[in-house]
Amino acid sequence: MKKNIFYMLLLTALTLVVGSCSDDDESESTEPIVETPAYLKPGTDVRPINWIAPDASLFELRMTLQVELGDTLAAFQSEQDLMCATIDGEVRAVTIPHKTGKTIYYPLFILDNRTGGTVSLHYYCDRLHRIYSITNWSNFTPSAAPTGKSGIYRPCFTNEY
């Protein structure tokens, strides 16, 4: 009888020890915690109302480009986004996103009266409510290939962060 009680106590103790060593604890995660970079967190920028395409009749030259987002911002694109090109702080092109198949791109028709001006790009992301900019992105060159030398222009707006 003492043996039976001893074995029952031993079995109970063993059950308690095994239960306390279980790896089913949901409070601990084996997944690494990846923090979202600040530049991908929602901001407070509103859709720019002053990004208005200029009157093409006022300019002699046009630089035609097709641009895709070339960074992590591509995952946040929406139909409400805007891409803008400026020269000397003046808006020289504005476009909404266009889609062909699964490809989203921004056709830009940048206008100026002289070659060599510095083009800056600005992107408004509606889902993140943020404006991203690349100052001094390119020189205004009307003879530039619309899709760039190696395919398509893919500016990385997050390189600044």
Side-chain angles (χ1 to χ4, degrees), residues 66 68 145-154:
Q66 190 169 320
E68 289 180 13
T147 56
K149 293 178 183 175
S150 60
I152 194 164
Y153 295 100
R154 288 189 177 90

Side-chain angles (χ1 to χ4, degrees), residues 12-115:
T12 303
L14 185 60
T15 303
L16 289 173
V17 170
V18 170
S20 68
C21 294
S22 173
D23 60 348
D24 292 340
D25 187 6
E26 294 178 16
S27 64
E28 293 182 29
S29 175
T30 57
E31 295 291 320
I33 297 173
V34 179
E35 188 171 324
T36 303
Y39 62 84
L40 291 179
K41 292 182 180 176
T44 58
D45 294 332
V46 295
R47 193 169 202 262
I49 58 172
N50 61 338
W51 288 5
I52 299 169
D55 181 354
S57 68
L58 300 175
F59 299 95
E60 297 175 17
L61 304 171
R62 179 192 306 205
M63 181 177 173
T64 304
L65 304 177
Q66 190 169 320
V67 177
E68 289 180 13
L69 290 179
D71 52 20
T72 54
L73 292 175
F76 297 93
Q77 292 179 105
S78 75
E79 294 177 357
Q80 300 303 315
D81 294 354
L82 288 174
M83 182 81 65
C84 172
T86 60
I87 297 176
D88 297 328
E90 294 180 19
V91 175
R92 298 300 173 88
V94 178
T95 188
I96 59 173
H98 291 71
K99 190 173 184 177
T100 300
K102 292 184 179 182
T103 303
I104 298 173
Y105 63 96
Y106 300 82
L108 289 169
F109 304 100
I110 306 168
L111 304 169
D112 204 3
N113 286 320
R114 61 183 169 79
T115 60

